[in-house]
Amino acid sequence: MKILGIGSRIKHPEHGAGVVTNVTAKHYWVTFIESGLETIDVDSEFEVIEALEDEVDSVSFYEVEKTLKNLLQKWSDVTQIVPIADKWKGGKLIMEPGTATQNKEVPIDTFFHKIIMVRDRLRVMEQKINASNLDAAEKVDLQQYITRIYGSLTTFNVLFKSTNDYFVGEKSK
C-alpha cells in the first residue's frame, strides 16, 4: 500500500470528499467538505480521487503551526505555558505586614503567572537588545544587568514544576 501525500483528494464513504492535510505513519488528517477535519486510519476504506506523492518540501499544518508558535514566543510578548509545582496548586500567598494591619492574600497561581510574565518579558528584552544597533560593549553591559535580574529571581524557582524553567543567574566559575 502506497501512502498518499499531502494534498491528495479522496472520497470517504462516511465523510464524503476531502483533502489530505497531514500524514503520520498510521493516520491521515483529512479536511472534508461537509464534516471538517477528521483523522482516519491509512488502511481505512476510501476512494482515491487524486493521489499526490509526498514531496520532500511539503509542509504539514502541524509543522506550520509549530513554527509559528516558536516565532511568536521568540519575538512577541506571548507567554508560554509553564506548569507550577504540584504542591503549590490551589495554594495562596499570605503577606503579613509588620504593623497591625490586615494581611494580603493572593492565589499562588496568580502570583506564579505574574512571575512567568516577568521572565518572558525579560527574555523579549534580551532578544531585542541582541538584535539592536547598540555596540557590543553596550550589549554586554545590558546583558549583565539582565543576568543579575535573573539571579535575583532564583528565589522563585521553588514554584516551578520543571528545573528546565528555573531562573538562572550568573554561574560561579
Side-chain angles (χ1 to χ4, degrees):
M1 178 177 82
K2 186 174 179 180
I3 299 288
L4 296 173
I6 294 171
S8 296
R9 296 185 311 134
I10 68 168
K11 184 173 183 182
H12 191 272
E14 182 182 340
H15 302 292
V19 177
V20 175
T21 55
N22 197 4
V23 180
T24 65
K26 296 181 181 180
H27 299 99
Y28 292 122
W29 293 12
V30 182
T31 302
F32 291 100
I33 294 170
E34 294 179 18
S35 60
L37 184 64
E38 297 287 342
T39 305
I40 61 171
D41 294 336
V42 293
D43 58 357
S44 60
E45 292 294 321
F46 55 83
E47 175 189 342
V48 177
I49 298 170
E50 179 185 6
L52 296 179
E53 291 186 27
D54 194 17
E55 297 179 17
V56 177
D57 64 345
S58 65
V59 179
S60 70
F61 284 133
Y62 170 77
E63 291 167 324
V64 171
E65 182 182 37
K66 183 177 168 186
T67 302
L68 184 57
K69 279 183 182 178
N70 288 340
L71 285 170
L72 286 172
Q73 286 177 347
K74 183 175 182 178
W75 297 105
S76 75
D77 206 12
V78 174
T79 59
Q80 73 181 99
I81 297 171
V82 178
I84 191 168
D86 292 336
K87 68 181 180 180
W88 301 110
K89 287 181 182 175
K92 59 185 169 188
L93 178 67
I94 302 171
M95 293 178 268
E96 188 175 307
T99 60
T101 56
Q102 189 171 352
N103 293 349
K104 171 75 175 172
E105 292 185 8
V106 177
I108 203 143
D109 294 327
T110 302
F111 180 74
F112 181 69
H113 177 70
K114 291 182 184 291
I115 294 292
I116 296 303
M117 288 190 313
V118 167
R119 184 189 68 174
D120 289 346
R121 289 183 177 133
L122 276 171
R123 287 180 176 171
V124 170
M125 185 188 325
E126 196 170 16
Q127 290 163 353
K128 288 187 178 203
I129 289 168
N130 288 334
S132 74
N133 293 332
L134 295 171
D135 65 46
E138 291 172 316
K139 285 182 182 181
V140 168
D141 190 38
L142 291 171
Q143 285 291 351
Q144 288 175 344
Y145 279 107
I146 290 174
T147 300
R148 287 185 217 124
I149 293 168
Y150 282 136
S152 298
L153 294 169
T154 58
T155 302
F156 302 111
N157 285 345
V158 68
L159 298 172
F160 291 94
K161 185 170 190 165
S162 171
T163 57
N164 294 334
D165 295 319
Y166 279 10
F167 289 104
V168 179
E170 209 167 5
K171 305 228 181 194
S172 56
K173 297 177 182 176

